Amino acid sequence: MCTSWNERFAETPGVLKSDRCEQTLVPVLDFEIGGSEFVTMAGPCSVETEFQLIATAIHVRSAGARILRGGAFKPRSSPYAFQGHGIEGLKMLAHARNESGLAIVTEVMCEDDVRVVAEYADILQIGARNMENFALLEAAARSARPILLKRGMMATIADWLRSAQTILDCGNPNVILCERGIRTFETATRNTFDVAAIALLKQISHLPVIADPSHAAGHADLVPSLARIAVAAGADGLIVEVHPNPAKAWSDGDQSLNHAEFDTMMASLDPYLSLRRRALREKELLRRVGLELEAMEAVG
Ligand code: PEP
Ligand code: MN
């Protein structure tokens, strides 16, 4: 890694690549995030009904998703919008896991809920609005569940990495960074997708990085393009909002893909995923050649 990046992010050494750690692999059920597999998380913004959740889970699994997303506790910009089903929603997620075999990622919004959310979820999501809620970060870290840390809407990369470092410092190594767009002067899209953040983090950090094209775009028609851009930038996975009938969604319908649109998006990733596999193979080859050269130099 270039020394200047090391200096720039010297405050958070634990998140940076080092001889000790080139890449963190976050274990989830029987697979890993951050390795050779590109992992897609998909599902509705909010858990609404058993039918909505199970139908979506079964569908996204058939299209290649490994993890079901869905909010039971919803952080909403309006106090009058649907706030989620709470514990009933967590139970629906657990039922969907049994029916589909998918792992579950869901948001935890406050310290008091960490224990119950960790009981039901495989990954705890810290939402953009809570990225700098350090008491929540610490409580979530101590649950020992992997943490999906979304970037705050006004957070710099350094702010984001400080929050990741906080989780690591609590003894939880399983942090996944999620770029979900930031607020800028542009208002045509819901947020501005910071693809450079993905490229930079993949270069300097050993933590897996995934992209959320749904919250970045705010419009379903832009989601597939942003997903492909995320793969090209080196992301380890995606989190995408999918709903059986987006027009009737209780939250974030405008940015949710329907089932057929999700299938088309997943198929459109294939050529990008082939390039990704090739790049990973080449990187591994170079690593092995480097090790052999070192060994040869050592014996003179
Ligand atoms: C969500 O994932 O539905 C969500 C609220 O995301 P964010 O915290 O990125 O706004
Ligand atoms: Mn949402």
Side-chain angles (χ1 to χ4, degrees), residues 83-106:
Q83 308 288 318
H85 285 306
I87 293 175
E88 281 315 304
L90 295 177
K91 289 184 181 160
M92 288 194 236
L93 285 164
H95 182 206
R97 175 177 42 213
N98 288 343
E99 294 293 313
S100 66
L102 294 172
I104 300 296
V105 58
T106 195

Side-chain angles (χ1 to χ4, degrees), residues 55-291:
T56 306
I58 290 173
H59 189 89
V60 299
R61 191 198 52 187
S62 72
R66 298 286 248 150
I67 301 176
L68 177 67
R69 64 145 291 144
F73 295 93
K74 291 303 303 173
R76 304 307 305 283
S77 301
S78 162
Y80 308 111
F82 175 57
Q83 308 288 318
H85 285 306
I87 293 175
E88 281 315 304
L90 295 177
K91 289 184 181 160
M92 288 194 236
L93 285 164
H95 182 206
R97 175 177 42 213
N98 288 343
E99 294 293 313
S100 66
L102 294 172
I104 300 296
V105 58
T106 195
E107 179 161 356
V108 58
M109 283 178 52
C110 69
E111 287 165 75
D112 291 348
D113 295 340
V114 166
R115 189 194 290 261
V116 69
V117 177
E119 216 177 279
Y120 289 94
D122 300 291
I123 303 175
L124 302 187
Q125 176 175 325
I126 301 290
R129 292 159 191 78
N130 267 319
M131 189 207 82
E132 287 187 313
N133 179 342
F134 290 99
L136 174 61
L137 294 178
E138 286 172 18
R142 296 211 167 90
S143 75
R145 288 285 187 204
I147 308 291
L148 176 65
L149 180 64
K150 287 201 156 194
R151 182 180 185 176
M153 353 186 160
M154 311 289 273
T156 64
I157 293 171
D159 296 333
W160 191 11
L161 292 180
R162 271 191 291 275
S163 293
Q165 179 79 52
T166 301
I167 299 169
L168 300 182
D169 288 347
C170 289
N172 188 335
N174 295 317
V175 179
I176 304 152
L177 299 168
C178 177
E179 163 60 36
R180 47 78 73 208
I182 49 174
R183 250 188 204 170
T184 66
F185 56 80
E186 181 55 74
T187 53
T189 48
R190 181 174 179 181
N191 291 289
T192 296
F193 188 41
D194 186 3
V195 74
I198 299 176
L200 174 59
L201 289 169
K202 284 307 298 173
Q203 194 176 305
I204 65 171
S205 175
H206 58 80
L207 296 173
V209 181
I210 69 159
D212 176 345
S214 309
H215 290 85
H219 299 269
D221 54 353
L222 293 177
V223 169
S225 308
L226 297 195
R228 291 190 290 273
I229 291 164
V231 182
D236 296 292
L238 293 173
I239 182 163
V240 181
E241 289 187 336
V242 179
H243 192 284
N245 184 358
K248 291 271 157 70
W250 298 5
S251 61
D252 284 352
D254 289 348
Q255 66 194 36
S256 299
L257 301 180
N258 67 28
H259 292 180
E261 288 165 344
F262 182 67
D263 293 351
T264 308
M265 183 204 81
M266 290 296 272
S268 81
L269 297 182
D270 279 346
Y272 296 81
L273 292 174
S274 299
L275 288 173
R276 177 180 184 270
R277 279 190 290 275
R278 201 167 83 187
L280 287 175
R281 274 199 305 274
E282 281 168 8
K283 198 169 151 202
E284 177 56 18
L285 203 66
L286 282 175
R287 195 187 63 84
R288 284 207 211 136
V289 169
L291 286 179

